């Protein structure tokens, strides 16, 4: 992409900023009991009033910052996403502007086009087949409960957590997604994260710290792991290691919706299989971009822009929002 194209994308983004029946889901019990009974707020802060979430579900999300809906995405859709991912891995499909990531433990000399070489793809908004995930009515009906009716797709990922080489590089440190996002307000942002197969602690399920969405954005940095850390796998430096955590054991099609300030991460993959999940961060069209200069998020902007400069030749001084977080109206 040249400067002219980047400027055109920025105009699209700024234009967006001027714009003002699916399956029935149930709250999913996790590996640790988390009760909403202690919740007595004067008003709801993190959910919107509509007929989708039950009162119990709203209370649960308000108190804990996440909500799992069982069997939300069909097996047929999951298979379509899997098939497209495999075509991308084989090089048969090359969506524009997509970022392909590999685990730090994989040597460049070992490269063979297959799922073994790709740990994550980001920014698949130009791939019509994968972007279908972001437009599924069953997903959007729940997203609206957190963002309101005017929804933007902000950041897309398909995660292919590889079998760990023994260095534990497949794990993801505890972090807050808002660290990566140059837009606000945070209460109008939500992630939809769907398991593409059975996921548990053996293959690296999500681990969440309930209630941490009520706190501030904390400082992040790369953890000091002996085996190495993957690019942009930032972690929180000052969290309480004794904080209660919940490991989300999920089946194929189960979907967790969570707040961008919720502290979460995932363990290493102890199996020989590839643990897959597909996700999108959504935001209200009322959200706006912020300048991250001088904040703890500036390192993310610098690292992302160095990456896309190397991959696509985009000038390093281009704003972060132009490349990675282009709003896509839904």
């Amino acid at each position: 992409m040249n400067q002219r194209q980047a400027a055109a994308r920025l105009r699209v983004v700024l234009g967006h900023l001027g714009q003002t029946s699916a399956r029935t889901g149930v709250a999913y019990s996790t590996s640790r009991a988390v009760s909403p009974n202690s919740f007595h707020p004067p008003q709801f802060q993190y959910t919107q009033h509509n007929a989708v979430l039950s009162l119990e579900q709203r209370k649960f999300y308000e108190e804990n910052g996440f909500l799992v809906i069982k069997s939300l995405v069909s097996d047929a859709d999951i298979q379509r996403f899997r098939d497209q991912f495999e075509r991308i891995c084989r090089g048969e499909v090359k969506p524009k502007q997509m970022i392909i990531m590999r685990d730090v433990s994989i040597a460049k000399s070992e490269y063979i086009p297959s799922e073994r070489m790709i740990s994550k793809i980001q920014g698949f908004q130009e791939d019509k087949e994968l972007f279908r995930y972001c437009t599924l009515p069953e997903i959007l009906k729940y997203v609206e409960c957190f963002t309101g009716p005017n929804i933007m797709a902000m950041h897309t990922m398909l995660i292919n957590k590889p079998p760990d080489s023994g260095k534990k590089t497949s794990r993801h440190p505890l972090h807050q997604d808002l660290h990566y996002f140059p837009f606000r307000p945070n209460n109008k942002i939500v992630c939809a994260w769907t398991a593409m197969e059975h996921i548990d602690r053996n293959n690296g399920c999500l681990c969440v710290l309930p209630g941490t969405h009520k706190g501030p954005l904390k400082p992040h940095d790369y953890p000091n792991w002996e085996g190495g850390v993957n690019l942009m796998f930032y972690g929180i430096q000052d969290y309480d290691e004794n904080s209660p955590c919940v490991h989300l054991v999920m089946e194929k099609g189960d979907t967790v919706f969570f707040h961008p300030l919720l502290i979460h991460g995932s363990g290493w993959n102890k199996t020989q299989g590839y643990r897959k999940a597909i996700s999108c961060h959504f935001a209200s069209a009322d959200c706006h971009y912020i300048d991250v200069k001088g904040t703890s998020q500036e390192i993310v902007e610098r690292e992302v822009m160095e990456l896309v400069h190397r991959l696509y030749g985009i000038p390093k001084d281009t704003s972060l929002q132009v490349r990675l977080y282009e709003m896509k109206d839904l």
Side-chain angles (χ1 to χ4, degrees):
M1 179 188 294
N2 57 34
Q3 286 180 290
R4 188 174 176 183
Q5 290 172 309
R9 290 168 70 88
L10 178 57
R11 285 195 294 272
V12 171
V13 170
L14 295 176
H16 283 321
L17 289 174
Q19 299 174 8
T20 57
S21 177
R23 301 181 185 183
T24 300
V26 295
Y28 179 62
S29 58
T30 64
S31 59
R32 176 183 177 275
V34 183
S35 172
N37 292 335
S38 61
F39 177 77
H40 299 289
Q43 61 184 3
F44 292 108
Q45 302 178 57
Y46 307 105
T47 56
Q48 303 288 311
H49 176 70
N50 59 34
V52 176
L53 295 182
S54 68
L55 179 59
E56 181 181 8
Q57 288 174 323
R58 289 189 72 184
K59 287 182 176 180
F60 187 95
Y61 187 90
E62 294 275 338
E63 177 66 16
N64 298 292
F66 71 96
L67 181 70
V68 180
I69 307 298
K70 296 189 67 175
S71 304
L72 186 62
V73 179
S74 71
D75 288 354
D77 280 322
I78 295 292
Q79 188 60 51
R80 287 181 62 172
F81 302 143
R82 180 181 289 270
D83 291 344
Q84 183 70 351
F85 175 69
E86 291 175 356
R87 285 190 285 268
I88 292 171
C89 291
R90 293 193 297 266
E92 298 171 8
V93 177
K94 297 180 180 180
K96 296 178 181 179
Q97 303 157 22
M98 186 176 66
I99 295 177
I100 295 178
M101 306 185 74
R102 300 167 63 199
D103 191 86
V104 68
S105 67
I106 300 174
K108 291 183 179 179
S109 59
E110 298 176 8
Y111 183 78
I112 301 173
S114 72
E115 72 169 0
R116 291 166 46 196
M117 297 298 110
I118 298 179
S119 60
K120 182 188 296 184
I121 59 175
Q122 296 192 86
F124 58 67
Q125 66 272 5
E126 301 301 327
D127 184 289
K128 292 183 179 180
E129 184 65 10
L130 290 183
F131 193 72
R132 285 183 57 255
Y133 172 77
C134 306
T135 64
L136 290 175
E138 54 267 43
I139 291 290
L140 293 178
K141 118 173 169 175
Y142 281 97
V143 169
E144 186 174 340
C145 299
F146 311 103
T147 65
N150 298 320
I151 303 169
M152 298 282 189
M154 302 300 295
H155 182 231
T156 52
M157 290 192 299
L158 195 152
I159 305 158
N160 186 46
K161 187 188 283 285
D164 200 275
S165 64
K167 297 181 178 180
K168 299 183 181 180
T169 56
S170 65
R171 58 186 164 161
H172 199 301
L174 289 173
H175 64 283
Q176 296 165 298
D177 286 346
L178 193 66
H179 176 67
Y180 298 91
F181 298 152
F183 44 89
R184 301 292 187 274
N186 54 61
N187 288 348
K188 292 294 185 72
I189 303 169
V190 71
C191 179
W193 193 100
T194 298
M196 296 177 66
E197 58 203 293
H198 174 80
I199 296 178
D200 58 26
R201 297 185 71 171
N202 286 324
N203 60 3
C205 65
L206 288 180
C207 171
V208 301
L209 275 56
T212 51
H213 65 301
K214 300 175 185 177
L217 178 62
K218 293 179 174 290
H220 287 62
D221 204 345
Y222 283 112
N224 186 23
W225 287 350
E226 184 178 350
V229 183
N230 282 301
L231 182 66
M232 288 188 278
F233 273 35
Y234 296 104
I236 289 174
Q237 302 299 295
D238 64 349
Y239 71 92
D240 182 359
E241 295 185 0
N242 296 316
S243 297
C245 65
V246 173
H247 292 89
L248 301 183
V249 178
M250 300 169 68
E251 301 299 332
K252 181 167 65 172
D254 291 355
T255 302
V256 59
F257 296 89
F258 60 90
H259 191 278
L261 281 172
L262 181 74
I263 298 175
H264 67 288
S266 64
W268 54 299
N269 185 356
K270 305 173 188 176
T271 73
Q272 295 305 304
Y274 291 77
R275 189 273 271 161
K276 292 182 176 61
I278 187 169
S279 73
C280 179
H281 281 86
F282 298 90
S284 166
D286 296 330
C287 286
H288 59 276
Y289 285 110
I290 63 169
D291 185 355
V292 300
K293 293 292 190 296
T295 74
S296 62
Q297 294 181 259
E298 187 173 1
I299 186 176
V300 179
E301 179 174 58
R302 182 168 60 250
E303 196 161 34
V304 168
M305 294 319 304
E306 287 176 353
L307 175 64
V308 297
H309 172 73
R310 186 170 70 248
L311 293 176
Y312 304 108
I314 297 175
K316 291 184 180 180
D317 59 354
T318 304
S319 173
L320 176 63
Q321 65 205 49
V322 175
R323 173 56 186 90
L324 191 57
Y325 302 114
E326 178 187 9
M327 289 182 169
K328 192 145 186 175
D329 203 358
L330 296 174

